[in-house]
Amino acid sequence: MIKNDTSWSLVHICQATKAGTESLTNIDIRQRLSTVEKEAIFSDQATIRNAISSLHIGSAVMNNRNFLIESLINLGSSFLHGDYDQENFSFSHAFDISHKLLNLLASFRAYIEHQRTHFIREHGRSSNTTKGWTDFIASISASNPQYSLFLGLRNFIQHVDMPPLGFKMHSSDPDSISLNVYLIKQKLLDPNAQWSPEQRAFIAASDVQISLWNLLEAWDHEFRRILRENERIRVLPARDAAINLLSIRQRYSIPDSGRIALAPIDETNISKESFSISLQWIEEKEAGELLRICENHTVDGNSYHILTLPNG
């Protein structure tokens, strides 16, 4: 518990070496802060952490997406280079692709729920911000049946089995291959599958072999839209908070070396020879990274390290 006679101060921590002695950690209490100044720093830190957490989960989804694409590429490469066991080929690759697909679907679901939970917590369940985000996500599913079917594979896995995959490969050129990984329509229509009426109707009207690649491309297009909307709502507004944190050293004349932190200082202990303090680090590194992302904001840039879907 923080006592009433405790104030918050900016603290500078760095390594100091005296002649003939070992390196020491120097803790310099630089500036006592007003309540307004302290609360402003805490608020900026929270804003940055929220934005960074959103980017972290988005990057996890992107990584799972890339792992799935790499599995599809490796499948064609194995066939092209003769690493082909007719008996085990389809089973082993189907297992690998299904595993990567499940990881992608689960992480994307977590990403969507993370955003929604954040908006509810920060703005309220019935706020315009929360409602706008929910309506935006729902509109994508309503307008893009391939995206909706791709997401529905998670429920299919939950209620039926791993996605029913089939493969077709053909190579008329020693340096290239035509690969088709598809979902088997008849098995998708299993009566235990929990498709919405719209999803079931779309599957029924589709070809016997539903291209997984086309579904992935449809999802990829919409996910980029979702990332851009999230950047607009959650990431870019945190830019001012990052600038504020990165200007603390200049505003309070703190050297560039070492690290800075906030610490509650009990005024009654100041005159003692020694006393303990609890440091709460100011997250300059995270603020700098967020500012870099804001200045180069594009989901096709470095923010998410996107592996571009090949054509064809």
Side-chain angles (χ1 to χ4, degrees):
M1 179 180 294
I2 305 300
K3 300 179 181 178
N4 291 334
D5 50 3
T6 297
S7 63
W8 286 82
S9 296
L10 278 171
V11 179
H12 178 228
I13 303 95
C14 64
Q15 296 297 115
T17 304
K18 294 184 179 180
T21 66
E22 295 181 356
S23 177
L24 301 175
T25 299
N26 183 56
I27 300 178
D28 184 11
I29 301 174
R30 299 286 302 192
Q31 176 74 40
R32 180 176 177 177
L33 299 175
S34 68
T35 300
V36 172
E37 289 174 311
K38 181 259 294 184
E39 292 299 332
I41 293 175
F42 276 129
S43 176
D44 287 336
Q45 295 252 91
T47 298
I48 292 168
R49 281 194 295 269
N50 282 332
I52 290 291
S53 68
S54 174
L55 292 172
H56 282 166
I57 299 174
S59 293
V61 178
M62 230 5 125
N63 285 338
N64 283 328
R65 164 198 179 276
N66 291 347
F67 293 149
L68 175 58
I69 294 173
E70 288 168 0
S71 288
L72 294 171
I73 293 172
N74 290 338
L75 170 61
S77 178
S78 296
F79 179 82
L80 187 62
H81 294 97
D83 182 15
Y84 183 80
D85 180 346
Q86 178 66 43
E87 182 177 351
N88 298 317
F89 186 77
S90 293
F91 174 80
S92 61
H93 282 284
F95 180 84
D96 180 59
I97 291 171
S98 294
H99 173 246
K100 303 291 175 54
L101 178 58
L102 177 57
N103 286 344
L104 174 58
L105 293 168
S107 62
F108 180 67
R109 172 67 176 270
Y111 173 82
I112 295 298
E113 289 301 315
H114 171 83
Q115 306 302 337
R116 181 173 177 272
T117 299
H118 167 79
F119 293 131
I120 291 174
R121 184 174 58 243
E122 294 295 318
H123 304 285
R125 187 176 298 273
S126 59
S127 68
N128 289 336
T129 300
T130 301
K131 186 176 184 301
W133 174 262
T134 303
D135 290 347
F136 170 69
I137 297 300
S139 70
I140 293 177
S141 290
S143 62
N144 192 330
Q146 287 185 311
Y147 165 89
S148 178
L149 174 55
F150 187 79
L151 293 193
L153 291 174
R154 179 183 175 277
N155 280 342
F156 184 90
I157 293 170
Q158 179 179 344
H159 294 283
V160 183
D161 198 351
M162 297 300 279
L165 296 176
F167 305 93
K168 277 187 177 179
M169 287 167 285
H170 173 71
S171 178
S172 57
D173 183 328
D175 296 323
S176 64
I177 186 173
S178 173
L179 167 66
N180 180 26
V181 181
Y182 58 87
L183 297 165
I184 302 171
K185 169 182 173 178
Q186 182 180 1
K187 292 184 178 181
L188 286 178
L189 292 172
D190 186 292
N192 292 320
Q194 302 295 302
W195 300 111
S196 69
E198 293 80 12
Q199 289 170 329
R200 189 170 287 275
F202 178 73
I203 295 170
S206 298
D207 294 335
V208 174
Q209 299 173 355
I210 302 173
S211 169
L212 178 64
W213 192 258
N214 290 345
L215 297 184
L216 180 59
E217 283 190 311
W219 171 85
D220 181 73
H221 172 76
E222 301 299 354
F223 183 45
R224 291 171 188 259
R225 285 182 59 200
I226 292 169
L227 290 176
R228 284 192 291 269
E229 183 67 5
N230 176 65
E231 285 191 340
R232 184 185 71 82
I233 298 174
R234 284 189 67 180
V235 179
L236 295 181
R239 181 178 182 275
D240 288 344
I243 291 173
N244 288 340
L245 283 193
L246 293 175
S247 69
I248 286 176
R249 290 179 184 266
Q250 179 181 6
R251 285 186 282 135
Y252 294 100
S253 301
I254 300 175
D256 292 335
S257 60
R259 297 188 64 183
I260 54 177
L262 290 173
I265 307 296
D266 187 342
E267 299 293 339
T268 62
N269 289 331
I270 291 294
S271 59
K272 296 180 180 180
E273 290 185 4
S274 65
F275 62 93
S276 62
I277 59 175
S278 176
L279 301 175
Q280 298 194 28
W281 299 109
I282 292 176
E283 298 161 359
E284 295 176 283
K285 180 179 179 181
E286 290 79 2
E289 177 65 12
L290 181 63
L291 190 58
R292 182 192 66 78
I293 290 172
C294 290
E295 291 174 346
N296 301 281
H297 69 94
T298 167
V299 296
D300 295 315
N302 295 324
S303 302
Y304 298 94
H305 307 289
I306 287 179
L307 176 63
T308 303
L309 278 169
N311 294 323

